[in-house]
Amino acid sequence: MGAPAAPGFAIKAFAPRADNPRVFRNALGPDRLELELPPMNATARADREAPPEPRSPEQEATLKAASAWLQQLARTLKTCRLYDASNPTVVRFRTELGVALRKVLDEHGPLRYRFTSDDVFFDEASIYPARSRDDNLALAFYRDGVRGITFLPGIEPREIDVLIEAVLLVSGQNFGEDDLITLLWEAQLPHLEVDYVPAEGEVGGASAPDDGTPLMPWPTAAVEETAADETHSAATAAESPHAGAESRSDDWNAGDLTVEIEAGFEELESLSTSEVARFRDEFRAEHEVPTVTATIAVAYAYNAAGAGPDDRAELARFAPRLLRQAVTHGSWLEAREALLLLRQCGTGEWSMETFAQELLQPISISSAVEKLDQQEGPAVLEFITFARELGDPSVDWLNLVLAESQSRRNRKLLAEAIAELCRSNPERLAPWISDPRWFVVRNIVHILGWIGGSGTIGMLQSAIRHPDIRVRQEVISALGQVEPRLARPLLVRMLDGADPRMFCGVLHQLATERDAGTARLMLNYLQDPNFETRSPEERHAIYATLSATGGDESIPDLEAELHKGNWFAHNQEIHRASVARILARIATPLARMVLERGAQSKRAPIRKACEEALMGFPT
């Protein structure tokens, strides 16, 4: 370099050696110097390794106040980036920031902050380390050459506003040509001193460093004219052909600015850990995408990129393999997309009927059910959507899957899908009514109950004599969704030989509206000599059905039942009370007249039953 070495140091040029802890970067350029330090005596080594001296209570208070104000500055800058300058929140934050700074300066005196590429220091203590790239307060200062800022007592609100605007300008997206030093220089802030690195080298600013490096003057009102003269002289010297000859090195200008480059490398180094982790996460996520999904995406992109007829024909020869692969892996969404891709290609070499026959094979059904029972609700809905794309064969496919599925939740979703597909054509389910498996027939009857309407009567009629009682009970529930006049004949047929549970279920369906035929049937049960031998549940069901279906045509027979029996037949009292309540529920004038006449009877049981019934007679 041509400069004399300091006593006790050996200076020599060398290639960069990152593994040498005793190598220091030259602040004036990219060359490196290897400084061979002299051996350190015991006293110097002890001084160097000694722990820092503890701070006094006053110094701790000053450090705490300086840190709190810097945190407040960071919050104010974030708020100013989020809202407009006239926003009341922004105005309040700026006002409070100025008041807080003046209070701290009055209590603790001048505050000097020092900046590195990723941290802010006060009194050699880190008070705002960078947490991320977006939360690096120090970088905006360090990148523009600011190494320290000193706030002096008496600072004005205008000076704080200028500092905030300058930092927002150099750290925003609309970054101008001026850097932070230039903006603060032009503003001439008397209560703000800046230590900075000028373009001629990495030297100090307004305050002198300890090593005696020459300073760049910070502008004040007194030295403004002097600074202008010096600037003019420097410009004149730069135009001279011999200017700057002494600042030349062998292969580069010693005055070239390297601060921004070094700050950029510092920023890259600080972000390397998070960015490498992000890249690995994205790489892992990209390779976790199933092959079928990626292949379908490529096929769609290929087809949309202007593929011709020959290209689409070639793609159509490959798509069936992709479709079968998706079905095998239970990727129902990808299977549907592959099916739509085949339709876009429009080839005659592939047949939907042939593919549907493959799906209906027992081994295909078992594989589909195995995959489907392990999946959650959204995947089952994707399966149903894919099945609908198959057209008419989807009904048979869904029924076969429904028959083998062991998941109750999946069976419900599949049954609802079949009902929706066959709502306009319930006869499509007729072949499944004769299936030898009782649970399959019960599923079909359950689906017919959801569909409802007169179109299901024929299929329900063929199921009312099914040998399995669970199927017949499902038929009773399904007939409740059919018009009563059509369902009543089937329900009456099911009463023959019905057990008590089914008998009560049929009567519950028959009691939906008044019907003279049903009421006559209930009176026949009531007048049967073996009526008392029926179970209490059956007798109660007969009473309830008669009261719901009977009218004036049933009242003479009910009055006869009310007075039936001799004076000493005490077991008839419950029967008389039930008949009286039936008359009260029929609630016609004729029924009321019969009850009032019975209330005048000389027979106490009849009189008591009629009086209690009249108390519940509707007005």
Side-chain angles (χ1 to χ4, degrees):
M1 297 288 293
F9 292 85
I11 304 177
K12 56 183 179 180
F14 76 107
R17 290 166 50 191
D19 59 339
N20 192 335
R22 303 180 68 82
V23 173
F24 298 84
R25 179 183 294 116
N26 182 3
L28 300 180
D31 284 353
R32 309 229 189 267
L33 298 179
E34 179 179 332
L35 305 184
E36 298 181 357
L37 300 181
M40 191 178 299
N41 56 32
T43 304
R45 186 180 298 107
D47 294 340
R48 183 172 182 178
E49 296 177 356
E53 296 181 1
R55 297 184 178 89
S56 63
E58 293 78 8
Q59 291 175 331
E60 288 292 343
T62 304
L63 176 61
K64 184 176 180 180
S67 177
W69 185 85
L70 190 69
Q71 299 287 340
Q72 187 175 357
L73 172 63
R75 290 195 299 270
T76 303
L77 292 173
K78 292 178 182 178
T79 305
C80 293
R81 293 189 183 101
L82 291 175
Y83 304 104
D84 188 72
S86 59
N87 188 282
T89 303
V90 175
V91 175
R92 179 172 59 85
F93 269 55
R94 288 194 174 193
T95 303
E96 293 176 353
L97 181 67
V99 173
L101 178 59
R102 290 193 295 273
K103 182 179 179 180
V104 172
L105 293 177
D106 291 342
E107 294 180 359
H108 303 281
L111 300 180
R112 183 180 184 275
Y113 296 96
R114 185 170 59 85
F115 302 97
T116 63
S117 61
D118 57 357
D119 202 350
V120 182
F121 290 85
F122 182 86
D123 194 18
E124 302 305 325
S126 171
I127 59 175
Y128 201 94
R131 299 180 180 88
S132 64
R133 181 176 183 178
D134 297 330
D135 190 17
N136 191 350
L137 177 63
L139 183 60
F141 296 88
Y142 186 84
R143 180 190 57 204
D144 286 0
V146 178
R147 294 297 181 265
I149 288 184
T150 303
F151 296 94
L152 303 178
I155 191 169
E156 299 177 356
R158 180 192 69 85
E159 299 178 72
I160 301 176
D161 288 338
V162 170
L163 175 63
I164 293 175
E165 293 295 339
V167 175
L168 291 175
L169 182 61
V170 300
S171 61
Q173 296 181 354
N174 300 323
F175 180 65
E177 296 180 357
D178 293 336
D179 55 12
L180 183 60
I181 294 178
T182 304
L183 295 174
L184 298 179
W185 181 287
E186 294 176 349
Q188 296 191 15
L189 308 177
H191 299 91
L192 195 69
E193 294 183 354
V194 180
D195 300 340
Y196 65 99
V197 179
E200 287 75 13
E202 190 174 4
V203 295
S207 62
D210 297 336
D211 57 358
T213 306
L215 307 178
M216 290 297 294
W218 189 247
T220 60
V223 300
E224 181 180 1
E225 296 181 358
T226 304
D229 294 340
E230 292 179 355
T231 303
H232 177 72
S233 301
T236 305
E239 296 177 357
S240 174
H242 300 286
E246 295 181 355
S247 64
R248 283 288 298 176
S249 178
D250 293 337
D251 55 353
W252 58 288
N253 287 328
D256 286 350
L257 184 62
T258 61
V259 176
E260 294 186 1
I261 298 175
E262 294 176 1
F265 277 112
E266 291 279 358
E267 180 181 3
L268 291 175
E269 186 176 359
S270 63
L271 296 175
S272 60
T273 303
S274 60
E275 290 299 314
V276 169
R278 179 188 60 81
F279 171 77
R280 289 177 177 174
D281 292 340
E282 294 178 356
F283 181 83
R284 188 182 306 108
E286 180 179 351
H287 284 73
E288 287 177 354
V289 176
T291 305
V292 176
T293 305
T295 306
I296 290 177
V298 173
Y300 264 102
Y302 175 78
N303 195 31
D310 296 338
D311 299 327
R312 286 193 294 270
E314 189 66 27
L315 186 60
R317 296 187 186 98
F318 171 73
R321 179 181 175 185
L322 191 61
L323 174 60
R324 294 184 179 92
Q325 191 77 3
V327 173
T328 302
H329 288 84
S331 303
W332 313 117
L333 179 61
E334 287 76 4
R336 177 177 178 271
E337 295 298 330
L339 190 60
L340 297 178
L341 180 64
L342 276 169
R343 291 177 179 174
Q344 289 182 11
C345 294
T347 179
E349 300 180 8
W350 182 79
S351 172
M352 175 69 78
E353 291 74 15
T354 304
F355 177 68
Q357 290 300 321
E358 294 178 10
L359 292 179
L360 296 176
Q361 297 302 314
I363 187 172
S364 299
I365 297 298
S366 300
S367 176
V369 171
E370 181 182 359
K371 297 293 183 184
L372 198 63
D373 284 353
Q374 297 175 359
Q375 296 173 337
E376 300 296 332
V380 179
L381 297 178
E382 292 175 359
F383 169 80
I384 294 172
T385 304
F386 166 64
R388 288 174 177 170
E389 295 293 338
L390 300 176
D392 185 69
S394 63
V395 177
D396 295 328
W397 193 39
L398 289 175
N399 274 307
L400 289 171
V401 174
L402 174 63
E404 294 194 17
S405 177
Q406 302 299 317
S407 173
R408 184 176 181 179
R409 180 193 66 247
N410 291 355
R411 289 200 301 269
K412 182 177 183 298
L413 295 175
L414 293 171
E416 290 176 350
I418 296 171
E420 188 65 27
L421 289 172
C422 299
R423 191 172 300 279
S424 60
N425 183 27
E427 291 79 9
R428 182 66 179 80
L429 298 174
W432 295 92
I433 289 292
S434 58
D435 194 279
R437 296 167 293 183
W438 69 267
F439 53 88
V440 174
V441 181
R442 185 189 63 178
N443 292 339
I444 298 303
V445 172
H446 187 75
I447 294 171
L448 291 174
W450 279 345
I451 296 176
S454 59
T456 62
I457 286 294
M459 288 174 282
L460 294 176
Q461 184 176 359
S462 62
I464 61 176
R465 296 302 179 189
H466 196 277
D468 196 288
I469 189 175
R470 290 166 289 191
V471 176
R472 298 198 301 271
Q473 289 173 348
E474 196 66 44
V475 172
I476 296 174
S477 300
L479 287 172
Q481 306 302 320
V482 181
E483 188 178 352
R485 67 178 182 84
L486 299 176
R488 190 175 296 112
L490 300 182
L491 292 170
V492 171
R493 288 174 55 187
M494 297 184 71
L495 289 173
D496 296 337
D499 61 354
R501 180 180 177 185
M502 182 174 293
F503 185 86
C504 296
V506 172
L507 293 189
H508 178 73
Q509 297 292 351
L510 289 173
T512 55
E513 63 180 13
R514 296 196 179 276
D515 178 70
T518 304
R520 183 69 262 171
L521 179 63
M522 297 300 106
L523 282 172
N524 293 337
Y525 286 134
L526 197 67
Q527 296 168 352
D528 187 14
N530 297 324
F531 178 75
E532 292 297 332
T533 63
R534 289 183 176 273
S535 65
E537 293 80 7
E538 290 180 311
R539 295 200 301 269
H540 178 75
I542 292 173
Y543 291 142
T545 304
L546 182 56
S547 64
T549 59
D552 285 346
E553 70 281 354
S554 304
I555 291 179
D557 293 322
L558 291 173
E559 186 176 11
E561 284 292 319
L562 186 64
H563 294 276
K564 186 174 71 174
N566 54 41
W567 287 78
F568 304 102
H570 297 290
N571 57 346
Q572 292 290 327
E573 292 181 5
I574 298 177
H575 180 66
R576 287 193 186 96
S578 299
V579 172
R581 283 195 295 270
I582 292 173
L583 289 170
R585 291 173 182 171
I586 292 176
T588 62
L590 181 59
R592 186 179 188 88
M593 184 180 66
V594 171
L595 290 174
E596 291 175 349
R597 189 164 52 240
Q600 304 299 324
S601 175
K602 296 180 179 181
R603 299 172 60 180
I606 298 176
R607 185 171 62 251
K608 180 180 178 182
C610 293
E611 289 175 352
E612 291 178 353
L614 284 172
M615 293 175 62
F617 200 95
T619 56

